[in-house]
Amino acid sequence: MALPYFSDRAFTQKDVAADGLPTGDYEQCTFEQCDLSGHDFSGSRFSACEFIGCNLSNSSWPGLSVQDCSFSACKLLGIHWDHCNPIGFSVRFLRSNLSDNSFLRMDLRRSSFIGCTLTGTEFAEAVLMGSVLKECDLSDASFEGTNLEGADLRGSTGYRIDPDLNRVRDARFSLPDALGLLDKFGVRVE
């Protein structure tokens, strides 16, 4: 059975308030100021869609396909992105709150995070080669077995990344937060 198909359509809160968002195939759609917190997105597909000022916190994502989508000024608390379909996964986040999210073992090479809050977010065993995580709050974010080669973390704060447990060759950091790379050694830099 084919999923309903939506293309080049703009959705607002009044469009999703009564019945939520139907499981479907969404291409080049815009979602603005929609509260879809707790929504079950299982089996849907979003391609080249834009989410602006939306609340998607604690929503369910099993099997959701997300390709070339952007999220601006969105609230995305407690999301397990690692439950999404990994094929073609590509996202961009701008000034969004992604606290307590999980990107466990995900390929995030085609993803960017700019000016985001990522406190308590799980990046263990993720591939962030060449990814952008600029000007983000990474307090209590988990990096273990993560590939950060060539990643750009300039301006980000609060991270604690152990170079012995993660691949960091050619990653870009800025001072003073780059000192978080030395935490395990108990070194004090004054």
Side-chain angles (χ1 to χ4, degrees), residues 45-188:
R45 180 171 107 38
F46 293 94
S47 177
C49 291
E50 185 176 9
F51 293 82
I52 304 164
C54 295
N55 182 0
L56 303 163
S57 297
N58 300 311
S59 50
S60 179
W61 300 67
L64 173 66
S65 179
V66 182
Q67 301 168 339
D68 192 31
C69 291
S70 66
F71 299 82
S72 300
C74 289
K75 187 176 180 182
L76 303 140
L77 307 177
I79 294 179
H80 282 268
W81 298 91
D82 52 329
H83 293 171
C84 289
N85 182 342
I87 297 171
F89 184 85
S90 165
V91 289
R92 293 175 312 283
F93 299 100
L94 179 64
R95 294 182 313 278
S96 293
N97 187 342
L98 294 104
S99 294
D100 300 314
N101 279 223
S102 178
F103 292 98
L104 180 68
R105 297 185 193 99
M106 292 194 70
D107 185 343
L108 300 169
R109 280 182 270 212
R110 295 174 303 280
S111 301
S112 65
F113 305 80
I114 299 174
C116 294
T117 302
L118 294 155
T119 57
T121 293
E122 177 73 60
F123 288 107
E125 299 179 40
V127 178
L128 287 156
M129 289 176 65
S131 292
V132 175
L133 292 106
K134 288 179 96 171
E135 300 172 6
C136 294
D137 179 356
L138 292 162
S139 302
D140 298 319
S142 174
F143 295 93
E144 188 172 326
T146 307
N147 187 337
L148 292 155
E149 291 178 334
D152 187 349
L153 285 89
R154 290 177 295 164
S156 289
T157 61
Y159 52 84
R160 300 291 175 251
I161 299 170
D162 184 341
D164 288 334
L165 300 176
N166 300 281
R167 295 169 67 179
V168 296
R169 181 178 217 86
D170 295 324
R172 299 171 78 180
F173 301 93
S174 55
L175 290 172
D177 293 287
L179 298 175
L181 299 168
L182 302 174
D183 273 0
K184 79 176 225 168
F185 301 111
V187 174
R188 289 178 23 197

Side-chain angles (χ1 to χ4, degrees), residues 11-58:
F11 293 87
T12 62
Q13 181 58 32
K14 70 177 185 158
D15 298 318
V16 300
D19 300 322
L21 196 62
T23 299
D25 191 347
Y26 298 85
E27 188 170 349
Q28 295 181 333
C29 292
T30 302
F31 300 85
E32 193 162 357
Q33 302 298 322
C34 295
D35 184 355
L36 293 163
S37 55
H39 186 74
D40 184 358
F41 288 97
S42 301
S44 286
R45 180 171 107 38
F46 293 94
S47 177
C49 291
E50 185 176 9
F51 293 82
I52 304 164
C54 295
N55 182 0
L56 303 163
S57 297
N58 300 311

